[in-house]
Amino acid sequence: MAEKVTFKVFRFNPEKDKKPYYQDFEVEIRKPGMMVLDGLNQIRWEMDGTLAFRRSCREGVCGSDGLNINGVNMLSCITHISDLKPPIVIQPLPSLPVVKDLVVDLTDFMNKFFLVKPYLITYSPPPDKERLQTPEERKKLDGLYECILCACCSTSCPSYWADPEYLGPSALLNSARFILDSRDEGADERFEIINDRHGVWRCHTILNCIEACPKLLNPTEAIGELKKILIKKKF
Amino acid sequence: MKYFGSGRSGAFDWFFQRVSGIVLLVTLFLHFYVMHFAIEGPITYEKVMVRLSSPGWKALDIVFLIFAVYHAVNGFKLIIDDYVHSTVLRAVTIGLLWVMGIAFLTIGIMTIVNLRVQS
Ligand code: SF4
């Protein structure tokens, strides 16, 4: 008989359930290196077709399957079942409204992302070809551009839970992505937005976001960088 | 959206929470040094009061008091910013904080200014 692992899955159907509950599933380990997502697929395809969760690329690129697994936010598709202590407790990302089961409403998270103007802003006339930058300038964007907007960081942040207006680590990291870009000329308008008690100053350096980020980025450091620039400007 | 409270961005609060924190740390170690190493033991009321009653120490203590009260009040303000979002509650809590801060400052300054060796 194949080895089995218990998945304790958060279930909530707002049309039927008054309260959320946890349901146990026995996931069969059929091949070495199975990911949590493989387990969830097994549940949906073979045991209970009503289980709702998001996934797409299944290789840590699309950012759609951010989940709270054994208490830590991570991507189910790049997390080995064997690395986790059973029973594996799977919950939706904390603090966001639950649409159904493991699917959360990301509207607020995305709105905050758009708020920091996450696109290249330029006022100088465009050169004949593309806007160039040196390898050193490009290097400054490493650790910033890789964000896949999975929301693992923001929803792990107690400041984000407590303050509904707080932009959160992800949006702030993405603002740093453009503020620190040598080709970008929109730093001032972004600083307008993030230099706010619901912007960078709401970060209390709790460091949860670093632990949560599946792309091994460091939002706290990015926020610290932004704080430093703002303090230097002001004092 | 701006909450009730001063319209400042929070940059000042953040920066001076750090500055006042450093001042408190320095004065803490100064206190430690003066009380445990600089004084010929044993520590007695007279020895301590003579020092505390001198104008230089009074000035230093007032500076310490200002930074300590600022640090405490500002810390509470940050907690209120974190958790209290309704305008009315914010008005009440931040108002109370001001009253408490000013009260502590007044009592503290009065105490320091009036210090003298009692016999
Ligand atoms: S910074 Fe990391 S955890 Fe946060 S949204 Fe981007 S990829 Fe996800």
Side-chain angles (χ1 to χ4, degrees):
Chain A
M1 232 185 62
E3 189 201 338
K4 290 196 169 174
V5 172
T6 309
F7 276 42
K8 245 183 192 337
V9 185
F10 175 100
R11 303 295 310 260
F12 181 60
N13 178 354
E15 286 173 9
K16 281 210 251 134
D17 308 328
K18 278 212 194 73
K19 272 205 296 194
Y21 60 97
Y22 291 85
Q23 190 176 355
D24 284 4
F25 295 100
E26 299 296 320
V27 170
E28 204 177 291
I29 304 299
R30 292 177 186 158
K31 54 175 199 241
M34 260 175 72
M35 301 292 177
V36 174
L37 180 63
D38 296 319
L40 286 174
N41 280 333
Q42 198 183 101
I43 295 172
R44 173 141 85 192
W45 292 337
E46 298 170 22
M47 296 176 229
D48 186 345
T50 68
L51 177 67
F53 56 89
R54 286 198 183 100
R55 86 274 186 275
S56 179
C57 75
R58 60 99 187 95
E59 54 187 5
V61 174
C62 72
S64 41
D65 65 343
L67 291 169
N68 185 281
I69 302 173
N70 280 359
V72 183
N73 292 352
M74 53 185 92
L75 298 181
S76 73
C77 57
I78 54 171
T79 304
H80 286 108
I81 293 178
S82 53
D83 286 345
L84 298 163
K85 230 179 106 204
I88 298 172
V89 181
I90 303 183
Q91 297 168 296
L93 290 176
S95 83
L96 296 176
V98 173
V99 178
K100 188 180 179 237
D101 298 336
L102 301 174
V103 176
V104 289
D105 184 354
L106 288 166
T107 316
D108 180 65
F109 173 81
M110 288 300 172
N111 282 343
K112 284 169 177 165
F113 171 63
F114 295 131
L115 217 58
V116 302
K117 311 192 183 198
Y119 38 80
L120 194 76
I121 299 174
T122 54
Y123 294 104
S124 52
D128 285 344
K129 289 187 190 150
E130 61 271 80
R131 292 174 194 272
L132 297 175
Q133 66 183 168
T134 65
E136 290 77 45
E137 287 168 338
R138 168 61 188 73
K139 220 171 157 28
K140 286 196 185 142
L141 307 182
D142 282 347
L144 298 171
Y145 80 92
E146 301 95 327
C147 173
I148 55 173
L149 296 173
C150 64
C152 284
C153 57
S154 292
T155 59
S156 77
C157 169
S159 292
Y160 192 82
W161 302 337
D163 178 0
E165 303 286 323
Y166 176 37
L167 287 172
S170 173
L172 291 171
L173 176 125
N174 280 288
S175 78
R177 149 75 185 84
F178 287 96
I179 287 170
L180 301 178
D181 190 324
S182 60
R183 299 161 297 183
D184 186 83
E185 291 158 6
D188 288 337
E189 29 192 307
R190 287 196 194 90
F191 276 133
E192 273 295 287
I193 300 159
I194 63 166
N195 180 19
D196 187 273
R197 51 177 88 257
H198 303 294
V200 283
W201 309 115
R202 183 92 281 120
C203 166
H204 299 319
T205 326
I206 298 167
L207 310 177
N208 273 13
C209 53
I210 306 173
E211 187 176 347
C213 181
K215 306 303 278 185
L216 306 180
L217 310 183
N218 189 332
T220 312
E221 193 184 5
I223 297 171
E225 206 59 46
L226 297 173
K227 280 176 177 165
K228 215 160 40 183
I229 299 173
L230 279 166
I231 292 291
K232 279 204 186 125
K233 268 185 167 191
K234 203 174 147 108
F235 298 103
Chain B
M1 188 185 118
K2 291 267 183 262
Y3 285 141
F4 170 87
S6 85
R8 290 192 318 237
S9 68
F12 186 92
D13 302 359
W14 184 88
F15 189 52
F16 278 93
Q17 192 69 352
R18 267 112 198 114
V19 172
S20 58
I22 291 169
V23 172
L24 291 186
L25 258 182
V26 171
T27 42
L28 172 74
F29 281 109
L30 187 71
H31 163 84
F32 193 69
Y33 172 74
V34 168
M35 291 303 277
H36 299 282
F37 294 100
I39 293 188
E40 289 274 314
I43 306 175
T44 62
Y45 173 81
E46 272 73 31
K47 280 189 208 161
V48 173
M49 287 314 282
V50 167
R51 178 166 53 76
L52 288 186
S53 313
S54 67
W57 275 95
K58 285 192 176 184
L60 185 80
D61 280 345
I62 289 177
V63 170
F64 168 78
L65 181 74
I66 291 170
F67 277 101
V69 170
Y70 176 82
H71 194 80
V73 168
N74 196 34
F76 276 113
K77 171 67 169 33
L78 289 175
I79 297 174
I80 293 171
D81 280 347
D82 272 346
Y83 294 108
V84 185
H85 306 301
S86 104
T87 311
V88 180
L89 256 185
R90 283 181 65 80
V92 173
T93 43
I94 294 174
L96 267 178
L97 206 56
W98 270 99
V99 173
M100 262 170 47
I102 291 171
F104 274 123
L105 205 62
T106 321
I107 298 171
I109 289 182
M110 271 164 50
T111 316
I112 294 171
V113 169
N114 292 329
L115 271 186
R116 65 179 62 90
V117 189
Q118 321 229 316
S119 45

